[in-house]
Amino acid sequence: PQEREVILLASAPADETAWRDLAERVTRGSFAIFITPASLRRDDNPVGGLFLEKKGRFYHFHDWLYHKECVAREHAVFDGLTGKGILDWDYYGPVITHGLFDGQRTPDDVIVAAFALGYPCPGGYTSGMMMGAYRFGEGMFLVNTLGILENVGRHPAADRMLLNLIRHAAKTTQPPLAPPPRSRSP
């Protein structure tokens, strides 16, 4: 590339060459949005594509009558939506999913976290991240478990969040492209 890019990934890169290319683009200043957890799958590892040393895990939390609370901080992703604080299950509906990331380092930009307290799970408590962004070289990558992509065209919150995510990522692509990294494996 000749300039920084916003890269939206709906599925995982096809092979090692594509993963290396993506890693280089991000380290040079691009912003990659892993819009679904499936876009992080590498081989048999659901989080194998995370550009982190400690990859942690992705798992499904069993929500039903008792559910986790999803908490969003004030962020550009929620411009024009009800955000900041506990996400309203009635408002967001199918956009709130069961997926959580856990065990990674804290993102540089935590956008949505979730927790359940007093729940019939081991220890009575669980928590995880639903959306967050990490710096990687000169760029960033965002991971997401919210059901944005599968609800585009069906749910107005998903439509708005996708536009807001792209707009937010585009703000970071103004500086010139950084030089290629010396040697880095994703």
Side-chain angles (χ1 to χ4, degrees):
Q2 301 300 311
E3 56 189 29
R4 295 178 184 218
E5 306 166 294
V6 173
I7 304 166
L8 183 64
L9 293 113
S11 61
D15 56 29
E16 288 303 312
T17 302
W19 277 109
R20 278 193 296 277
D21 179 60
L22 176 62
E24 181 177 328
R25 287 170 184 247
V26 175
T27 57
R28 294 188 68 194
S30 290
F31 194 120
I33 301 170
F34 291 93
I35 197 68
T36 68
S39 59
L40 287 165
R41 178 172 286 282
R42 195 166 180 185
D43 300 321
D44 291 332
N45 186 346
V47 291
L50 279 172
F51 301 133
L52 300 171
E53 285 185 38
K54 187 177 176 188
K55 299 195 185 297
R57 67 183 177 137
F58 167 75
Y59 72 101
H60 291 276
F61 181 76
H62 182 68
D63 290 297
W64 59 294
L65 175 61
Y66 304 106
H67 58 81
K68 68 186 175 301
E69 298 300 341
C70 307
V71 182
R73 64 180 266 264
E74 189 171 336
H75 198 279
V77 171
F78 293 99
D79 285 351
L81 298 167
T82 65
K84 188 181 171 191
I86 295 177
L87 296 181
D88 183 341
W89 283 73
D90 290 328
Y91 181 83
Y92 286 97
V95 175
I96 296 176
T97 65
H98 302 286
L100 295 173
F101 291 106
D102 178 45
Q104 300 82 13
R105 72 174 171 82
T106 303
D108 297 297
D109 187 9
V110 176
I111 302 168
V112 181
F115 67 92
L117 183 63
Y119 194 84
C121 58
Y125 173 82
T126 194
S127 64
M129 183 196 43
M130 297 185 81
M131 185 186 291
Y134 295 90
R135 284 185 184 76
F136 186 64
E138 295 295 316
M140 293 192 85
F141 66 93
L142 179 137
V143 297
N144 171 59
T145 69
L146 295 174
I148 296 172
L149 190 61
E150 57 267 42
N151 286 293
V152 167
R154 293 186 208 152
H155 197 286
D159 297 343
R160 177 69 125 177
M161 288 176 81
L162 180 60
L163 293 172
N164 288 347
L165 274 169
I166 294 168
R167 196 174 295 128
H168 170 67
K171 290 178 187 174
T172 70
T173 62
Q174 301 310 311
L177 195 63
R182 290 187 187 159
S183 173
R184 183 176 209 144
S185 297

